[in-house]
């Protein structure tokens, strides 16, 4: 697999993923990619399963939220000398097969974050989740002053400039929004989306993401950051442009 010159790894935050985590990790390892797993206080067999695999495993004694899991993973990646990180969830919703296209997009757009955007098979998305994601996409795009397709996807490529924002004061799912906004507004990074399939079938465990609670938290944070940066209408106009999509969306349909 062709990779950017940056030294990179895959980071997987997880919580109670015993049903899927082994397959997820092994599929990434099959690509020859190093893996860091952050277990956020699981009380099932997740730590035991991951501990038997050739990866870096860090554990939280108690649940600290996805934001803190990602933050700890970023710190560990930086400690190990990586220049970039590709994140993915541990429930099987993200496939290792999608990684090569994200890596290629990162190579073509080195000053960008890359999002595995769930633009294919969107009919599988629950209607409530789709509406919540649309609200988040609108607000975060305005705060970033650039259009972003699928701001809630957990499959992302973060270059070093984004990793340097590891200490942003944001928790839980808000942390992912905070990284996008600060990297866009303070680091000047762009965002490119790689189309991936929407996977919401019955084999996945119930999402830890709450469409009401977490979207409310993200919205409050996003509004605050949009006001902080100012020039709201200019940011709004920039966010209404077409998002940058890697490759022809029609070829993946």
């Amino acid at each position: 697999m062709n990779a950017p010159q940056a030294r990179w790894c895959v980071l997987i935050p997880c919580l109670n993923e015993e049903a899927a985590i082994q397959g997820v990790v092994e599929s990434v390892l099959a690509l020859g990619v190093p893996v860091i797993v952050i277990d956020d206080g699981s009380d099932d067999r997740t730590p035991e399963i991951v501990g038997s695999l050739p990866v870096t495993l860090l554990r939280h004694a108690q649940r600290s939220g996805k934001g803190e899991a990602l933050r700890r993973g970023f710190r560990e990646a930086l400690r190990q000398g990586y220049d970039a990180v590709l994140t993915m969830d541990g429930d099987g919703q993200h496939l290792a097969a999608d990684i090569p296209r994200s890596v290629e997009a990162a190579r073509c757009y080195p000053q960008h974050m890359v999002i595995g955007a769930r633009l294919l098979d969107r009919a599988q998305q629950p209607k409530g989740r789709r509406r919540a994601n649309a609200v988040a996409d609108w607000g975060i795009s305005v705060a970033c002053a650039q259009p972003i397709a699928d701001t809630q996807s957990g499959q992302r490529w973060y270059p070093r400039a984004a990793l340097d924002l590891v200490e942003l004061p944001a928790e839980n799912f808000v942390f992912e929004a905070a990284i996008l906004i600060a990297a866009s507004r303070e680091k000047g990074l762009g965002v490119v989306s790689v189309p991936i399939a929407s996977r919401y079938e019955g084999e996945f465990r119930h999402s830890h993401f709450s469409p009401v609670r977490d979207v409310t938290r993200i919205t409050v944070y996003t509004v605050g950051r949009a006001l902080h940066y100012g020039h709201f209408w200019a940011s709004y106009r920039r966010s209404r442009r077409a998002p940058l999509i890697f490759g022809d969306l029609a070829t993946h349909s």
Side-chain angles (χ1 to χ4, degrees):
M1 179 174 59
N2 294 327
Q5 293 183 352
R7 184 168 177 261
W8 62 281
C9 67
V10 166
L11 171 63
I12 305 174
C14 62
L15 170 61
N16 291 338
E17 302 291 8
E18 64 179 5
I21 193 63
Q22 182 166 348
V24 171
V25 174
E26 288 181 342
S27 66
V28 177
L29 292 173
L31 298 175
V33 180
V35 177
I36 298 173
V37 177
I38 309 298
D39 176 73
D40 189 34
S42 293
D43 51 23
D44 65 358
R45 295 182 57 250
T46 297
E48 176 185 342
I49 294 169
V50 177
S52 69
L53 300 172
V55 304
T56 297
L57 170 62
L58 301 178
R59 297 187 62 189
H60 290 164
Q62 58 187 15
R63 296 180 187 179
S64 302
K66 189 177 185 182
E68 187 57 33
L70 287 169
R71 184 178 287 113
R72 189 173 182 191
F74 285 4
R75 290 175 182 146
E76 178 63 17
L78 291 169
R79 189 191 69 79
Q80 293 189 27
Y82 291 109
D83 302 305
V85 159
L86 189 145
T87 62
M88 58 190 295
D89 294 340
D91 62 355
Q93 184 179 161
H94 301 142
L95 299 183
D98 292 324
I99 291 176
R101 285 189 294 122
S102 292
V103 173
E104 179 63 13
R107 186 189 68 81
C108 294
Y109 296 92
Q111 299 303 314
H112 288 64
M113 293 172 286
V114 179
I115 294 181
R118 295 161 295 183
L119 301 176
L120 311 178
D121 305 323
R122 301 189 77 175
Q124 291 193 38
Q125 290 184 338
K127 291 183 179 178
R129 187 68 177 270
R130 194 186 310 173
R131 287 192 292 267
N133 287 350
V135 171
D137 287 351
W138 183 89
I140 293 174
S141 292
V142 172
C144 290
Q146 63 175 319
I148 302 175
D150 199 358
T151 60
Q152 301 307 295
S153 174
Q155 188 165 19
R156 304 181 182 188
W157 172 277
Y158 293 102
R160 176 58 187 263
L163 297 183
D164 286 341
L165 297 166
V166 62
E167 303 302 338
L168 279 172
E171 304 301 330
N172 299 305
F173 290 97
V174 177
F175 181 79
E176 292 176 293
I179 290 284
L180 285 178
I181 296 168
S184 299
R185 301 298 289 260
E186 299 175 19
K187 300 289 187 176
L189 294 181
V191 177
V192 58
S193 295
V194 172
I196 64 173
S198 301
R199 304 180 183 98
Y200 286 93
E201 297 179 353
E203 69 267 24
F204 304 123
R205 57 105 180 103
H206 182 70
S207 175
H208 300 302
F209 182 91
S210 168
V212 176
R213 179 197 63 207
D214 291 310
V215 168
T216 298
R217 289 173 175 172
I218 291 168
T219 300
V220 170
Y221 179 87
T222 299
V223 169
R225 298 315 292 167
L227 294 174
H228 168 77
Y229 290 114
H231 305 290
F232 178 86
W233 290 113
S235 298
Y236 172 79
R237 288 191 294 270
R238 290 169 64 184
S239 74
R240 295 303 91 197
R241 301 169 183 169
L244 179 58
I245 306 295
F246 182 73
D248 183 359
L249 182 58
T251 64
H252 304 294
S253 301

